[in-house]
Amino acid sequence: MITIKSIFKEIYKHKRVLIIANIVAIISTLILLPVPLLIPILIDEIILGKTGKVTEIIDHFFTVESTAYYILIVLIVTLVAKAVSMVLNRIFQPKPQLNPTKKAFFKKKVVIP
């Protein structure tokens, strides 16, 4: 007889893999979380003339002479963050999470419609 408890026992055998996959998902989310906030903060700092952390950080690492450089640097940071998040989500996460689940269900001979 197939029960929820028996399914959890099968999945529990792959606990380490599932924990690593969930940690990768959390890291990916944390990388991608500040991306939608970068452009509005940059607009506040450059166009409205408010000094803030984003322009200070950019000025610390680069010598910026124009507002176009600020926008370009934030665009590059945004694209890199999205690319890293996509790599983490598409390459490292699906297989470790799907394989233990597939094994647990196919071992119990459950047909998923």
Side-chain angles (χ1 to χ4, degrees):
M1 171 128 187
I2 299 171
T3 63
I4 298 291
K5 193 173 186 177
S6 67
I7 293 172
F8 278 124
K9 281 183 184 179
E10 286 295 322
I11 292 175
Y12 188 74
K13 292 177 185 176
H14 306 282
K15 182 175 110 175
R16 182 177 180 270
V17 174
L18 290 172
I19 288 173
I20 291 172
N22 284 319
I23 289 172
V24 168
I26 290 170
I27 290 170
S28 172
T29 303
L30 290 176
I31 289 172
L32 204 54
L33 191 64
V35 167
L37 302 173
L38 286 175
I39 301 296
I41 290 173
L42 188 67
I43 290 172
D44 285 346
E45 292 181 11
I46 292 177
I47 295 176
L48 300 178
K50 298 178 182 177
T51 58
K53 289 287 183 188
V54 175
T55 53
E56 285 178 13
I57 292 171
I58 292 172
D59 287 338
H60 179 71
F61 289 109
F62 303 103
T63 305
V64 179
E65 299 171 2
S66 171
T67 57
Y69 291 118
Y70 285 110
I71 295 169
L72 184 64
I73 291 169
V74 169
L75 176 67
I76 291 170
V77 168
T78 302
L79 291 175
V80 167
K82 286 193 178 244
V84 168
S85 177
M86 186 181 74
V87 166
L88 288 174
N89 279 333
R90 302 285 188 243
I91 295 175
F92 293 115
Q93 191 185 8
K95 247 191 171 154
Q97 281 188 330
L98 288 178
N99 285 340
T101 310
K102 282 181 186 177
K103 287 178 185 176
F105 278 102
F106 287 132
K107 204 170 204 180
K108 295 296 181 183
K109 296 180 182 170
V110 175
V111 179
I112 302 174

